[in-house]
Structures are given as C-alpha cells and as structure tokens.
Amino acid sequence: MKEINVQDITKVVEELCIKACTTLGNDWWQVMDDAISKENSPLAKDILKMLEENAKLAADTGEAICQDTGVAVVFLELGQDVRLIGGDLYDAINEGVRNGYTNGYLRKSVVSDPLLRKNTGDNTPAIIHTEIVPGDNLKIIVAPKGTGSENMSTLKMLKPADGKEGIVNFVLESVKAAGPNPCPPIVVGVGIGGNLERAGYIAKKALLRPLGQKNPLPHVAELEEELIEAVNNIGLGPQGLGGRTTALDVHVEVAPCHIGALPVAVNINCHASRHAEAVL
Ligand code: SF4
C-alpha cells in the first residue's frame, strides 16, 4: 500500500490553485485560435483576441486571469490502495487553498455562512468532491469557479417523454437566460441522468474535459455536436456583444437514472475555463 503524506497534498494544492488561476491549458488556446479564425463579426474577433492577450499577460506575469478567482472546487480521485498519513486530508487541502490564495494574491471570495455573509478571509473552505477509484494514486484537480458563471447554473427534472428535444430546449433556454453574465465565450457542462445531486455533479465534471474532446459515447458526442451548433446559432457572441462564438464547447456527461426521471443540469464556465491537476 502506497503512503502519501497529507503535507505533500497541501503543497500540491497550493501550486494548483495558483496555476489554475493564472494559466489556461493548451486545449483552450487551440479552441480560441480556431474560434478567432472562424468568427465573422469583427467586434467579436477583436474581443476574442483581447481575451487571448489577457490570458497571455496573466501567464507571463503570474497574475490572475480574472479578479474573481472563485471558490476552489477540488476533485479527488483517491486510489483505494493509498494510505494517507500525517493528518486530516480535508484539513490539508484547505491549508493548500489558504496558502495558494494568500501567496498567489488571489481574491478571497468565500463567506462562512450564506446568511451572515462574513468573509472567511482565506478562501476556505474549499468544496471537495472525493471518488474512490482502483489503484494507488491520488489525482487532484483544482477548478476555481467564479460566481458570474456559477450563478447561471440550472437544473430541471424533465420527464422521459421530453426526450432529446426537451434537453436541447432546456440547454438553450439556460444559455439564453444567462446572456452576458457568465462572460462568454462560455463552456457549457451538461449533466443528464442520475438524480438531483448527481446531475449537477456530472455537469460540473464535464467542464474538466479538455476542450474539443468529445464524449466517447457516440450518441452523446452527437448530442454535443447538435448543442454546440444550436448554442452558437443564438448569436450572443463574446461578452454578449454579438457574434458566432457564444460557446467554445459543450460537454455532456450521462449517468443511469430512474425509469420515470430525466434530470438535466447545466453548469456554465466563463472564458476563463480554469482547472489544473496533479497526480501523487
Ligand atoms: S464569469 Fe469568469 S471571467 Fe466573468 S467575472 Fe466571473 S470569473 Fe471572471
């Protein structure tokens, strides 16, 4: 059994918080270049170029891509043959978030109680999702989530008879209702199936998949193609100022569900499609 000291996890989480808030992945640059070359509106093209310049400046200077550095959402894939030593796992992760947001000069945006609304001052606690998986590795993904996009999340318990048409309509309604608020071009995560909480979880996890990569299930990939076409036909465009590039991608994840249910969740990411990962 492999032993991992939680102090090492703290260090890695600190680094991932800073990396995720300051640098975007190669996949993002590729889809943005592609979007710029396909965009017909001169204004939309200019905005996309400005967003690329902003991302380049952030990466070069180590400053945040956006002032809203969000809540730290941490996804763990914990191998069942890993033994954690040296302390409490979740305390270690929160220590890493505290250090990352402090040492990286990232905005602290978490309040301890949703009604009393006092800022915790260090961006903790993180929102931590843990999956137990085979093997002896620990994969850590940090995905800072700003609220401009998170507030645009939607969930609807469709009926099975609503079918694919109902799903497409709901996703389009959600994107239209979001308008410019999630700072387009957006990435749309769609979770279909499961139940109330599973649909939301897989919608968020869908945002972690590299941009441009389709779901391996052919019928789901086909739905993704249909959705990206429909979303980009809305005409909302970058920053909501018109154009073809409303979304950089639409990712759909599915899960088994009850015979009488068809839950659909939509979780949107802004142009700052931030996440960074490491494996211990
Ligand atoms: S939606 Fe994204 S880009 Fe817009 S303010 Fe929030 S974090 Fe920043």
Side-chain angles (χ1 to χ4, degrees), residues 28 59 72 79 139 210 222 244 254:
W28 185 86
K139 185 172 182 182
E222 196 180 299
R244 174 146 185 83
V254 294

Side-chain angles (χ1 to χ4, degrees), residues 98-180:
R98 184 175 296 118
N99 295 344
Y101 275 74
T102 303
N103 299 334
Y105 304 102
L106 307 172
R107 198 183 87 186
K108 289 84 179 170
S109 309
V110 175
V111 295
S112 56
D113 182 298
L115 300 177
L116 303 176
R117 307 211 67 86
K118 185 174 178 346
N119 197 308
T120 62
D122 59 11
N123 223 50
T124 69
I127 292 176
I128 305 171
H129 302 290
T130 308
E131 291 182 22
I132 307 295
V133 299
D136 63 358
N137 287 328
L138 172 63
K139 185 172 182 182
I140 305 171
I141 305 172
V142 174
K145 194 71 165 65
T147 212
S149 62
E150 188 70 2
N151 278 356
M152 300 300 113
S153 307
T154 56
L155 174 95
K156 194 166 183 182
M157 305 306 280
L158 295 182
K159 302 287 178 289
D162 293 323
K164 194 168 155 184
E165 191 184 342
I167 294 168
V168 172
N169 288 341
F170 177 60
V171 173
L172 289 180
E173 275 168 27
S174 301
V175 172
K176 283 180 193 167

Side-chain angles (χ1 to χ4, degrees), residues 191-223:
I192 305 173
N195 58 2
L196 175 84
E197 69 271 19
R198 168 104 8 212
Y201 176 67
I202 61 176
K204 178 147 289 168
K205 268 201 103 175
L207 299 175
L208 304 178
R209 197 194 316 151
L211 301 175
Q213 189 179 102
K214 292 288 161 217
N215 189 298
L217 296 170
H219 68 290
V220 181
E222 196 180 299
L223 176 59

Side-chain angles (χ1 to χ4, degrees), residues 66-69 145-149 181-183 270-272 274:
C66 176
Q67 44 75 35
D68 184 356
T69 48
K145 194 71 165 65
T147 212
S149 62
N181 295 312
C183 299
C270 56
H271 67 82
R274 299 168 287 192

Side-chain angles (χ1 to χ4, degrees), residues 50-109:
M50 277 187 254
L51 293 175
E52 276 202 340
E53 192 185 344
N54 175 67
K56 184 172 185 314
L57 278 170
D60 288 348
T61 60
E63 290 175 26
I65 300 158
C66 176
Q67 44 75 35
D68 184 356
T69 48
V71 171
V73 184
V74 180
F75 294 87
L76 301 178
E77 290 177 18
L78 176 60
Q80 62 189 18
D81 296 326
V82 172
R83 181 163 175 262
L84 298 167
I85 59 170
D88 182 279
L89 171 64
Y90 290 173
D91 284 349
I93 288 171
N94 280 316
E95 182 67 11
V97 170
R98 184 175 296 118
N99 295 344
Y101 275 74
T102 303
N103 299 334
Y105 304 102
L106 307 172
R107 198 183 87 186
K108 289 84 179 170
S109 309

